[in-house]
Amino acid sequence: MYHSIHARPPAGTADLAVHPEAFADQMALLAERGFTPVPFSALDTPARKPIVITFDDGYADFHDHALPVLAGRGFPATVFVTTGWLADAGADAAGRPLDRMLSWGQVREAAASGIEIGGHSHSHPQLDQLRDAALREELTRSKGLLEDRLGREVATLAYPYGYSSARVRRAARRAGYTAACAVANALAGARRDPLAVPRLTVRATTSPETFARVVEGRSVTRTYLRDRMLTKGYAVVRRSRYAAGRVTSR
């Protein structure tokens, strides 16, 4: 899971911004070790050492730095787009992007280059804290805009911040998504919920040695132990917060 590919990112994205040279080196390592990148929707397609390369949010630096590297190697990837954040969203603009965002033209160019485009909500809220009507609007509006602009079905989703719940996953299924990404920082095993597929976070601080280990499936639990403990603890807090909000709003 990538976010930004940027040499000098703004403060709000610095931890999740991978330097362009580091990203190029990581893609070279995948090629050298015989991995077969596939789009997220094709995760279950038989392939030798399949791996899914994803990007959340839709930052403009994907077009600047990641797309040329991917295209040069013939690597597919999946970009999950926050439709209300796009640079030329116009009347559909919503939320507060943290950096420069892709334009609709760049999204179409990426799709034409073999990049899978998925949904990432419309305004990037914490979906598990929304009431049902607002949740449905976030999921369907994003999907509808992407399908209208791209002229193709959009059936994959990544939850903003990785936050979901059984209620959010049911809403995603009703909205027409057939597969969705969480974070979880675990390997995607064969027995998994298709609407909560885990991913491994690549950060600015991810060393070449760490990247090499985790893509080969080694030391994953140890590498991401702190992340996973925080995620589980915060999930309890978030469920309690939503339940308390429901009681308060009645």
Side-chain angles (χ1 to χ4, degrees), residues 13-19 22 26 201-211 213 223-224 227:
T13 64
D15 178 55
L16 293 173
V18 174
H19 195 284
Q26 290 163 2
T201 306
V202 185
R203 291 190 168 87
T205 54
T206 301
S207 69
E209 295 77 18
T210 297
F211 184 85
R213 282 199 310 271
T223 300
Y224 291 102
D227 297 84

Side-chain angles (χ1 to χ4, degrees), residues 119 138-140 142-143 154-157 172-173 175-179 195:
E138 282 286 339
L139 295 172
T140 58
S142 173
K143 189 175 191 293
V154 172
T156 59
L157 168 73
R173 184 178 291 107
Y177 295 101
T178 58
L195 289 168

Side-chain angles (χ1 to χ4, degrees), residues 36 95 180 222:
T36 304
R222 184 177 65 190

Side-chain angles (χ1 to χ4, degrees), residues 8 54 125 141:
R8 294 186 178 87
T54 69
R141 188 174 185 185

